[in-house]
């Protein structure tokens, strides 16, 4: 009988693909591919990154002959990238010590050409997807990156309140454009931009004389940016000396993720609706560089296409390398409950799916594209990531016939026992529910009763865990994820619920949930429970709940039903009116409840209308905390800026008070707080230990003793 610790530690040994690149010195028959991977180090409680070079001999109609080099730990490397020809490489390095020191390194022919310290010039490098930038100019004489601007604070100025970009960006207030001039070795931090904005995702113009970037607006206030695509943004251009600032998308309130084609004629970018849902269907737009004309390539899709099923684009940021030709790009997007690879013609707007579900039932994430090759990673809920190589010729018109070959997979022998025995499926068309409701169902041990009986939870049928995602406007994809696999390895069936409002089903579906949170999403999770129970494949008397953020909000609502055996909530929303005053996304409670909130002119006093307060409160699970009887465990990140700890703690305290009033000595109401981690509980220490706690708690309250009578008698066994 495996324990949560044993399963987690085995699965944690499997590296994850972060990036891959076909190096410039590749030929038509021999590819040099550099791969970047990440792995959890449970001894040091850190995520380690390492690179590996793969040499692939590719010939027509033959599988590649592969040679794989050793893995090299990236150490204190923040980011690195090659110049266009591959002659140079730039690396950003942050070296820990008594005082952290920052360096820019220029490499050539395997050795350091220039080593430039930047500690006195700026603060930390930005290497995140939102602001992060590291790019060479086409003439290979300049490099641009983003770093935090240094501020001179004298006397009492250091006590002034300084807003920042919120969750995952605590202390990150003022990203700055930094240009390195290789001919003079000058490093220039450009002055603050006009219009009070933070730059991100900067690229060089085709002539290398200017920068094009996303400007994240800070006026009238900072709104938390991570996971939020509805923010006020625009594309801007500035000369490399800091002059000539101008807007490129002045007619749009939202524009981000600029990507310029190789000949410099077309710039593509993403645009979302501003205000309302934090994530939604995106538009792909383009700028004709010669004329400056902005036009739409792929518009917002209200309903999925009845013929192809295309539901629209759901993309946070476009890939760095995405041009397969001057007029075609390749990107990944959510398509119902999976991620898939799409080719988009930026002239016609035609969209082709390159990894259709009948060939790639799991999820595919694009990593790199050029005129000949596509690198992608593919996984399923019960199969870890594989690195795929696709060969194409963009001049042949449609690309759908691309043949993908597996280059390598990260299969760790000791981990196979914890994913190979299990099965998964997509459950849809649930009777009486909207067509958009879909479930990724993981089932243990291929329904082998002997394995089930000897599992941690025991019994002839597995208990069910209903697991809605957060957001609410996000989605589960059918990919390899740690937490569901730990639970299924203990003998649980897991229902990962994509309720109405999830991404990947059309914009109408996103908006259907607005004004109905706490009602429609909760009702659909009940329907999922009832439907899975009706199949006879789970124990109807052992139903559990878990969810984080908005998923925690949903399961906290579901707890008004006393039939659940146990529930674990991770940083849940419990009181929407209270959240509006303390979250980094103060407008979230308005947005999901359909109450107007204009980020360009936010209200001077939130919830000043008593009817709005009443509406938001009635949608909150705090309204019926006194009805909860199931054992509950609350998992809290002390550094959570999105749903601050007081949300979970207040709910826990309210229930604790009710338990004492009712003198219920047998009631279980636990809470754990993890220091140094935020909303996602994704530090290695918090992820591992919260998973152990969550899994052990559910096992404790569902475990059937071998000598127990019929299923569902509620007998529990010790679990260590």
């Amino acid at each position: 009988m495996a324990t949560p610790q044993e399963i987690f530690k085995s699965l944690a040994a499997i590296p994850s693909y972060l990036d891959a690149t076909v190096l410039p010195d590749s030929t038509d028959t021999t590819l040099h591919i550099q791969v970047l991977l990440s792995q959890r180090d449970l001894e040091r409680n850190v995520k380690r990154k390492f690179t590996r070079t793969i040499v692939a001999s590719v010939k027509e109609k033959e599988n590649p002959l592969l040679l794989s080099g050793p893995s090299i730990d990236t150490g204190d490397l923040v980011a690195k990238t090659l110049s266009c020809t591959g002659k140079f490489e730039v690396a950003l390095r942050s070296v820990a010590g008594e005082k952290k020191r920052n360096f820019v390194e220029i490499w050539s022919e395997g050795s350091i050409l220039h080593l430039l310290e930047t500690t006195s010039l700026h603060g930390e490098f930005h290497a995140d997807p939102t602001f992060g930038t590291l790019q060479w100019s086409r003439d290979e004489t300049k490099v641009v990156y983003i770093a935090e601007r240094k501020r001179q604070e004298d006397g009492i100025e250091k006590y002034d309140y300084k807003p920042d970009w919120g969750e995952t960006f605590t202390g990150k207030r003022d990203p700055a454009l930094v240009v390195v001039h290789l001919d003079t070795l000058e490093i220039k931090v450009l002055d603050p931009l006009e219009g009070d904005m933070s730059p991100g995702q900067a690229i060089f113009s085709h002539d290398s004389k200017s920068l094009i970037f996303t400007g994240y607006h800070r006026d009238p206030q900072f709104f938390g940016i991570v996971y939020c695509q509805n923010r006020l943004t625009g594309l801007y251009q500035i000369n490399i000396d800091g002059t000539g600032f101008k807007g490129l998308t002045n007619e749009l309130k939202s524009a981000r993720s600029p990507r310029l084609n190789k000949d410099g004629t077309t710039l593509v970018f993403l645009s979302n609706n501003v205000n309302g849902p934090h994530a939604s269907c995106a538009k792909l737009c383009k700028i004709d560089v010669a004329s400056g004309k902005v036009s739409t390539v792929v518009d917002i899709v209200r309903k999925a296409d009845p013929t192809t099923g295309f539901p629209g684009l759901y993309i946070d940021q476009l890939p760095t390398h995405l041009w397969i030709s001057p007029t075609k790009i390749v990107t990944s997007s959510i398509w119902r409950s999976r991620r898939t690879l799409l080719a988009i013609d930026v002239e016609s707007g035609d969209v082709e799916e390159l990894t259709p579900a009948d060939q790639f039932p799991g999820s595919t994430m694009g990593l790199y594209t050029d005129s000949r090759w596509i690198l992608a990673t593919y996984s399923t809920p019960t199969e870890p990531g594989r690195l795929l190589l696709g060969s194409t010729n963009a001049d042949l018109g449609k690309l759908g016939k691309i043949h993908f070959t597996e280059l390598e997979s990260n299969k760790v022998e000791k981990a196979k026992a914890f994913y190979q025995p299990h099965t998964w499926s997509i459950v849809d068309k649930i009777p009486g529910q909207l067509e958009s409701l879909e479930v990724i169902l993981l089932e243990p041990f291929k329904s082998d009763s002997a394995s089930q009986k000897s599992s941690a939870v025991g019994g002839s049928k597995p208990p069910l865990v209903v697991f809605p995602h957060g957001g609410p406007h996000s989605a589960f994809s059918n990919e390899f994820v740690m937490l569901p696999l730990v639970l299924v390895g203990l003998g649980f069936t897991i229902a990962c619920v994509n309720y109405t409002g999830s991404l990947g089903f059309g914009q109408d579906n996103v908006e259907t949930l607005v004004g109905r949170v706490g009602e429609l999403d909760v009702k659909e999770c009940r329907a999922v429970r009832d439907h899975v129970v009706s199949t006879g494949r789970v124990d109807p008397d052992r139903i559990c709940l878990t969810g984080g953020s908005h998923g925690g909000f949903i399961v906290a609502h579901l707890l008004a039903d006393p039939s659940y055996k146990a529930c674990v909530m991770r940083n849940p929303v419990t009181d929407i009116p209270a959240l509006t005053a303390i979250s980094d996304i103060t407008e979230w409670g308005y947005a999901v409840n359909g109450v107007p909130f204009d980020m360009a002119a936010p209200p001077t006093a939130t919830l000043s209308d008593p009817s709005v307060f009443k509406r938001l409160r009635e949608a909150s699970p705090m309204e019926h905390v006194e009805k909860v009887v199931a054992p509950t465990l609350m998992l809290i990140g002390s550094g959570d800026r999105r749903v601050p700890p007081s949300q979970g703690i207040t709910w826990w305290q309210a229930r604790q008070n009710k338990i004492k009033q009712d003198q219920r000595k047998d009631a279980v109401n636990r809470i754990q707080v993890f220091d140094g981690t935020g909303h996602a509980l994704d530090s290695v220490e918090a992820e591992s230990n919260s998973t152990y706690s969550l899994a052990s708690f559910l096992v404790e309250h569902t475990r059937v003793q071998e000598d127990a009578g019929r299923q569902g008698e509620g007998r529990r066994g010790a679990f260590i």
Side-chain angles (χ1 to χ4, degrees):
M1 179 177 69
T3 66
Q5 289 87 341
E6 181 184 358
I7 299 173
F8 186 95
K9 289 178 180 179
S10 296
L11 295 174
I14 303 174
S16 300
Y17 292 101
L18 299 179
D19 198 7
T21 304
V22 176
L23 299 177
D25 60 354
S26 299
T27 67
D28 288 343
T29 58
T30 303
L31 300 184
H32 295 167
I33 299 168
Q34 189 170 82
V35 183
L36 177 65
L37 303 103
S38 174
Q39 184 175 342
R40 300 166 179 87
D41 183 336
L42 299 180
E43 295 301 319
R44 293 166 54 189
N45 281 326
V46 296
K47 291 178 182 176
R48 306 275 291 276
K49 292 181 181 180
F50 52 93
T51 61
R52 183 164 61 237
T53 299
I54 301 169
V55 179
S57 177
V58 288
K59 296 181 180 179
E60 292 293 328
K61 300 180 182 179
E62 292 184 12
N63 289 328
L65 177 65
L66 302 176
L67 294 173
S68 184
S71 296
I72 301 173
D73 194 308
T74 60
D76 46 23
L77 183 73
V78 176
K80 67 175 182 177
T81 192
L82 284 166
S83 63
C84 300
T85 63
K87 181 179 179 181
F88 301 106
E89 185 175 44
V90 59
L92 306 181
R93 200 172 297 277
S94 185
V95 181
E98 184 175 340
K99 179 183 178 183
K100 184 178 288 187
R101 300 173 67 189
N102 298 321
F103 296 90
V104 175
E105 301 172 351
I106 307 298
W107 291 68
S108 182
E109 298 179 346
S111 62
I112 298 176
L113 190 62
H114 303 295
L115 180 61
L116 309 171
E117 183 167 4
T118 65
T119 308
S120 63
L121 299 177
H122 57 67
E124 291 187 27
F125 297 114
H126 281 269
D128 56 273
T130 302
F131 298 106
T133 292
L134 181 59
Q135 191 180 75
W136 284 89
S137 62
R138 292 186 59 79
D139 62 11
E140 300 188 342
T141 64
K142 293 173 283 292
V143 170
V144 62
Y145 62 89
I146 303 281
E148 191 69 12
R149 187 180 304 279
K150 272 188 175 291
R151 288 190 175 274
Q152 299 298 325
E153 297 175 344
D154 299 319
I156 62 172
E157 289 180 359
K158 65 182 180 181
Y159 301 110
D160 291 348
Y161 172 68
K162 304 173 189 68
D164 59 24
W165 284 108
E167 176 67 21
T168 75
F169 290 107
T170 295
K172 305 294 179 64
R173 305 178 177 92
D174 197 6
L177 292 163
V178 185
V179 179
V180 183
H181 297 264
L182 271 298
D183 50 356
T184 63
L185 299 184
E186 177 193 13
I187 299 178
K188 181 176 178 60
V189 180
L190 298 194
D191 292 337
L193 301 166
E194 298 176 25
D196 196 13
M197 66 182 70
S198 292
Q201 307 153 7
I203 61 174
F204 279 98
S205 60
H206 189 257
D207 62 8
S208 303
K209 295 179 180 179
S210 63
L211 301 170
I212 300 167
F213 58 91
T214 302
Y216 293 92
H217 296 191
R218 303 182 298 212
D219 182 20
Q221 72 175 73
F222 283 77
F223 288 96
I225 196 72
V226 71
Y227 318 129
C228 299
Q229 299 150 18
N230 66 338
R231 298 316 194 210
L232 293 163
T233 56
L235 297 189
Y236 299 88
Q237 189 166 10
I238 193 170
N239 295 331
I240 58 171
D241 62 0
T243 65
F245 175 85
K246 66 178 181 178
L248 302 178
T249 56
N250 295 332
E251 301 302 313
L252 297 175
K253 292 183 178 180
S254 166
R256 69 182 187 282
S257 207
R259 303 291 185 263
L260 186 67
N261 67 355
K262 193 171 182 179
D263 61 14
T265 59
T266 305
L267 182 83
V268 294
F269 62 93
L270 296 170
S271 179
N272 283 71
N273 291 336
V274 170
N275 300 319
H278 284 75
S280 60
C281 187
K283 284 196 299 186
L284 180 70
C285 302
K286 69 176 180 180
I287 299 175
D288 177 76
V289 174
S291 66
K293 180 184 176 183
V294 178
S295 58
T296 298
V297 177
V298 179
D299 210 341
I300 292 171
V301 175
R302 305 300 311 188
K303 296 182 183 295
D305 185 280
T307 302
T308 65
F310 175 60
L313 299 175
Y314 303 87
I315 306 168
D316 186 33
Q317 305 291 348
L318 290 168
T320 301
H321 301 282
L322 78 169
W323 290 98
I324 201 165
S325 80
T327 61
K328 286 189 176 73
I329 66 169
V330 173
T331 184
S332 301
S333 182
I334 302 172
W335 188 313
R336 298 187 73 90
S337 296
R338 51 189 288 270
R339 293 185 189 272
T340 190
L341 210 56
L342 304 176
I344 303 173
D345 188 313
V346 301
E347 291 187 340
S348 67
D350 290 343
V351 179
E352 304 171 52
E353 188 179 12
L354 303 182
T355 49
D358 58 348
Q359 301 174 42
F360 297 87
S363 285
T364 310
M365 178 64 70
L367 301 176
Y368 173 89
T369 299
D370 65 20
S371 60
R372 283 292 312 276
W373 308 104
I374 298 173
L375 291 170
T377 182
Y378 173 80
S379 71
T380 76
T382 57
E383 180 184 4
R386 294 183 283 159
L387 184 64
L388 304 181
L389 173 68
S391 175
T392 183
N393 186 337
D395 296 329
L396 296 180
K398 287 195 173 291
L399 304 173
K401 298 288 187 181
I402 289 178
H403 174 68
F404 285 93
T405 301
E406 180 179 328
L407 291 181
E408 65 174 18
S409 60
N410 285 320
K411 295 180 179 178
V412 176
E413 196 64 33
K414 67 178 181 179
K416 290 182 179 179
F418 301 116
Y419 60 81
Q420 285 187 342
H422 312 307
T423 59
W424 68 275
S425 60
I426 300 291
V427 179
D428 57 6
K429 298 180 175 62
I430 295 175
Q433 303 302 311
L434 294 174
E435 183 271 342
S436 54
L437 176 60
E438 206 162 80
V439 179
I440 303 170
L441 191 71
L442 282 79
E443 299 180 90
F445 312 120
K446 296 183 171 66
S447 301
D448 177 66
S449 59
S451 297
Q452 181 64 47
K453 288 179 180 178
S454 63
S455 71
V457 294
S460 58
K461 293 181 180 181
L464 172 66
V465 179
V466 179
F467 185 6
H469 63 70
H473 301 294
S474 62
F476 281 126
S477 296
N478 57 352
E479 55 199 356
F480 197 79
V481 180
M482 181 80 79
L483 179 57
L485 277 171
V486 171
L487 293 175
V488 78
L490 296 169
F492 291 96
T493 288
I494 318 299
C496 299
V497 185
N498 278 330
Y499 46 85
T500 296
S502 300
L503 303 181
F505 296 82
Q507 181 65 12
D508 282 356
N509 178 70
V510 171
E511 295 174 3
T512 296
L513 183 61
V514 174
R516 300 184 65 183
V517 294
E519 177 255 314
L520 177 60
D521 43 7
V522 174
K523 178 177 74 72
E524 289 187 333
C525 286
R526 289 196 194 102
V528 167
R529 173 200 64 186
D530 295 343
H531 179 70
V532 176
V533 167
S534 72
T535 66
R537 284 146 53 184
V538 299
D539 184 344
D541 296 317
R542 293 194 292 166
I543 311 296
C544 301
L545 301 167
T546 192
S549 193
H550 189 82
F553 168 91
I554 293 172
V555 299
H557 271 292
L558 289 167
L559 282 171
D561 178 346
S563 66
Y564 293 101
K565 286 296 181 183
C567 176
V568 182
M569 293 166 277
R570 303 165 72 249
N571 288 323
V573 174
T574 62
D575 187 340
I576 299 176
L579 186 66
T580 63
I582 58 175
S583 175
D584 69 324
I585 51 171
T586 56
E587 87 293 356
W588 179 87
Y590 291 82
V592 297
N593 284 284
V595 179
F597 188 110
D598 185 359
M599 286 186 289
T604 55
T606 57
L607 300 178
S608 56
D609 184 339
S611 66
V612 173
F613 180 93
K614 183 173 183 291
R615 179 174 176 178
L616 270 57
R617 175 70 184 196
E618 288 176 347
S620 302
M622 188 65 81
E623 281 289 276
H624 41 248
V625 64
E626 74 281 352
K627 298 178 183 178
V628 177
V629 297
T632 57
L633 170 62
M634 189 78 67
L635 303 174
I636 301 295
S638 67
D640 190 348
R641 302 279 304 281
R642 185 62 38 101
V643 183
S646 59
Q647 284 279 298
I649 292 170
T650 301
W651 188 96
W652 170 84
Q653 188 63 66
R655 186 173 181 228
Q656 196 74 357
N657 293 342
K658 177 64 174 173
I659 289 170
K660 291 180 179 179
Q661 289 173 10
D662 295 344
Q663 299 183 353
R664 287 187 53 211
K665 295 183 179 181
D666 61 337
V668 179
N669 182 40
R670 293 179 56 199
I671 186 168
Q672 292 184 334
V673 180
F674 296 87
D675 289 335
T677 193
H679 190 55
L681 294 177
D682 57 357
S683 70
V684 172
E685 181 179 8
E687 182 196 23
S688 58
N689 287 286
S690 66
T691 299
Y692 304 157
S693 293
L694 184 156
S696 297
F697 188 83
L698 295 184
V699 169
E700 177 187 355
H701 294 284
T702 57
R703 169 71 179 159
V704 174
Q705 295 274 33
E706 290 185 8
D707 61 347
R710 67 172 183 84
Q711 288 284 300
E713 290 186 347
R715 297 184 62 181
R716 302 199 303 270
F719 186 82
I720 300 175

